[in-house]
Each structure stands twice: as C-alpha cells, then as structure tokens.
Amino acid sequence: KVLIFIVSVLAFATANAKVGGIQYATPGDFSLGIMLGIPPAGANDGARMPMISLDGNWGVASGFINTSAFGQNGAIDLGFYYGICAYKEDLKKKYGPQWGDGGILQNAVLFRAAFHFQFVENLDVYGGISNGVNIWSPTGESDKIWDTDVKYAGGMFFGGKYYFSDVFGVKAEFPVFDWNEGNLPTFAAGVSFNF
C-alpha cells in the first residue's frame, strides 16, 4: 500500500511536465526506479512474495557517440540496486510432520553500471553489469537449520524506459547472465523517475 501511494503521488506530481526531446542519463541526472519482478529461479519450493526492487542511478557521461541517424548519443550511469523477496521451504516434506513453516528471505544489494542509447524519442534502452552480495536469511522454523548466509552476486541485464514526461516513465528489465547464484528477477517491470 505504501509503494502504491508513493508511486501515485510522484506520478501526479509529474503529470504536467513537458514531454519529449531530451536525452536521459546525462551527467548529473539521477533516476529512481521501483519494480516488481518474478523471483529468481532457485532450489527453493516457491516464492511467497515477488521481488520488490529499488534502484538509483547517476549519469556520469553522455553524448560521446556521434551517429548520423541518432545524433550525439550514448550515456553511462552508475548506481545501486536493492531487491527483496521471500521463498517458502516445505520443512514437513523434508524433515517430518513435527516441523512448522519455514522459508528464506533474499536481499540482493548490488552496484550497477549501464550503457544507454536512444533509438526512439523518449525511449531509453540500456544494458549493464551488476556486482554485490546476496543475503539469505532463514524465516520461521528454518532458523533451526540454517544461519544467515552472505554470498557474492553479480550478473548482466538489459532493459528499457519509456518516459511520458521529462520526469515520469515506465520500465522493464531482463537478466542476460546471472552468475554464482540467482539474484536478478527473471523479468521485472515498474516505474522510473528522472531528476
């Protein structure tokens, strides 16, 4: 409910912003994204909640590729990604009927870098790389079996943002590679705010 409220307020506040004709991820720009995603595939029995993620990115360079069709183009940004989701664990099936509910809570904390290119006005297409950690925490009676575990996480991703105004847009992302262990949703979509 809080997430829906925040998105609604920000969308309303940017509804009258000027449309079109800008390049995104320029130096000094900050973008904030909120997404819901299909949890990463893993050895767990299933997901209790989708991957909810927040990402923030700062533009550090832009306009360094000169193209005849798209003009001065290309941009690079650096940022962070935080995602959280929960999995259920069928302890009764594995350890017997005396066990109660259990599960695993996944927190992905990643640093990201991405290259952006605009083929169409208001459409920001990008791809990048992420590195960080996954923090796996047991929930319910799973804490009798496992301790919290922190592991390296990283991967590559691509996505796109379509801006309806200078500030507000929608976005979607897909992983390309997800190495070491699942940390990126198999598909995520949400909203983006450019400041």
Side-chain angles (χ1 to χ4, degrees), residues 43-189:
N44 303 292
D45 293 329
R48 277 194 175 143
M49 63 177 266
M51 175 76 86
I52 300 169
S53 66
L54 175 71
D55 63 270
N57 305 282
W58 289 268
V60 295
S62 68
F64 51 86
I65 299 175
N66 188 11
T67 68
S68 58
F70 306 108
Q72 292 293 124
N73 214 316
I76 295 174
D77 68 16
L78 300 174
F80 68 88
Y81 174 96
Y82 172 73
I84 183 170
C85 65
Y87 298 95
K88 63 183 178 180
E89 186 72 22
D90 192 347
L91 299 177
K92 291 181 177 67
K93 182 177 176 182
K94 288 184 177 181
Y95 302 106
Q98 71 276 16
W99 286 82
D101 291 333
I104 301 170
L105 187 66
Q106 176 195 5
N107 292 273
V109 183
L110 307 168
F111 294 101
R112 310 203 313 173
F115 171 75
H116 298 251
F117 200 88
Q118 288 185 263
F119 299 96
V120 178
E121 186 177 353
N122 299 334
L123 179 63
D124 176 20
V125 177
Y126 58 93
I129 188 168
S130 61
N131 284 286
V133 294
N134 264 347
I135 304 166
W136 301 91
S137 303
T139 60
E141 290 198 14
S142 293
D143 63 1
K144 297 176 182 176
I145 305 167
W146 303 293
D147 295 322
T148 296
D149 191 16
V150 179
K151 292 184 178 177
Y152 165 78
M156 298 176 70
F157 59 90
F158 75 94
K161 305 175 188 178
Y162 186 85
Y163 283 94
F164 297 101
S165 73
D166 288 356
V167 179
F168 177 72
V170 294
K171 67 184 293 189
E173 282 188 12
F174 305 86
V176 181
F177 296 108
D178 194 358
W179 52 75
N180 191 50
E181 60 177 35
N183 63 92
L184 297 172
T186 53
F187 170 76

Side-chain angles (χ1 to χ4, degrees), residues 31-50:
S31 69
L32 181 67
I34 303 168
M35 293 187 292
L36 288 176
I38 299 169
N44 303 292
D45 293 329
R48 277 194 175 143
M49 63 177 266

